[in-house]
Amino acid sequence: METRQQERGHLRTGLLDAEPLRESEEDNMVSDVDLNNTVTEEEREEIQQELAKLEEEISTLRQVLSSKEKQHAELKQKLGITPLSELRNNFSRSWYDMQTSTAYKKTSETFNTAGQKTSAAFNNLGSAISRKFGDMRNSPSFKSFEEKVESTVSNIKQTKVGGTGGSFEEVLSSAAHASTQDTPSNHLIDSPEETR
């Protein structure tokens, strides 16, 4: 009887043991298993007692676990740990774990490199645009335009200082009229007053 209980005990814990079964143990296990499932009355009672004992242990463990969970919740409540703060802490911990992962670091490095290249491209574009504006400012047509604006501004200043007594609109129109006389395109387009 004791050898069978030891064998059953070994069968129960054998799955959890790290040591592999030897061939002789495997042979014993196979011989103990009866395909017709004929169990003597004595063995049946023994198995039922063992089953009742296991069920009682399971019930006790559930009660202990429930008690520990209540104690756990009470301690958290005393410390002021709410489910929301726990969620925040878990999120922070997960975020930290993710940031320290190699995949995140590689992705971050890739984005940094891409950002640096994009920044360099924009700097190159900005300097190219600045060069174009510089070239355009040095062009003869821009210088001509700049001179016309300067002469218009000086005409307005002279008219104001000269004290013609006219309104600002009259001064602007006379300055615009003076600047249009300087443009060569004035001869190509007839003004509406001349065609009448």
Side-chain angles (χ1 to χ4, degrees):
M1 221 22 170
E2 265 183 46
T3 56
R4 285 195 171 207
Q5 286 179 345
Q6 288 174 347
E7 287 175 4
R8 281 193 201 126
H10 182 68
L11 284 175
R12 271 195 317 263
T13 60
L15 297 175
L16 301 176
D17 289 343
E19 182 182 6
L21 295 175
R22 290 182 287 260
E23 285 185 31
S24 62
E25 291 176 338
E26 289 176 352
D27 292 340
N28 288 340
M29 285 175 32
V30 171
S31 64
D32 283 347
V33 175
D34 188 5
L35 296 177
N36 295 330
N37 204 10
T38 54
V39 180
T40 64
E41 191 63 36
E42 187 178 304
E43 290 175 337
R44 182 180 295 279
E45 285 178 20
E46 210 174 283
I47 292 172
Q48 285 179 343
Q49 287 175 357
E50 191 174 340
L51 184 62
K53 184 178 177 184
L54 282 174
E55 287 174 351
E56 185 179 322
E57 287 176 4
I58 290 170
S59 176
T60 304
L61 289 173
R62 284 186 180 145
Q63 289 172 355
V64 169
L65 180 61
S66 176
S67 170
K68 294 292 183 184
E69 286 175 340
K70 283 181 185 178
Q71 184 181 5
H72 181 255
E74 289 171 358
L75 290 174
K76 279 185 173 182
Q77 187 178 15
K78 286 180 182 178
L79 289 174
I81 300 173
T82 63
L84 182 60
S85 65
E86 254 186 291
L87 182 65
R88 272 191 242 136
N89 289 340
N90 288 342
F91 180 74
S92 297
R93 192 175 315 118
S94 298
W95 179 249
Y96 175 76
D97 291 345
M98 186 187 75
Q99 285 180 325
T100 56
S101 71
T102 55
Y104 180 85
K105 287 179 181 177
K106 286 180 182 179
T107 305
S108 178
E109 289 171 6
T110 302
F111 278 133
N112 285 339
T113 304
Q116 290 169 355
K117 288 181 180 179
T118 304
S119 177
F122 278 126
N123 285 339
N124 290 340
L125 179 66
S127 63
I129 290 172
S130 296
R131 261 194 318 263
K132 287 292 182 184
F133 276 132
D135 292 347
M136 186 177 79
R137 188 156 194 235
N138 293 330
S139 71
S141 56
F142 187 81
K143 288 199 182 260
S144 171
F145 174 73
E146 190 175 32
E147 288 170 1
K148 288 178 185 175
V149 169
E150 286 175 359
S151 70
T152 303
V153 169
S154 66
N155 284 342
I156 290 173
K157 287 182 181 178
Q158 287 175 0
T159 305
K160 277 187 129 183
V161 173
T164 61
S167 69
F168 184 70
E169 288 84 16
E170 291 174 357
V171 172
L172 278 179
S173 68
S174 68
H177 184 59
S179 68
T180 56
Q181 289 177 353
D182 293 339
T183 60
S185 63
N186 191 21
H187 300 292
L188 298 176
I189 301 174
D190 293 329
S191 65
E193 294 173 1
E194 292 178 4
T195 56
R196 289 187 188 175

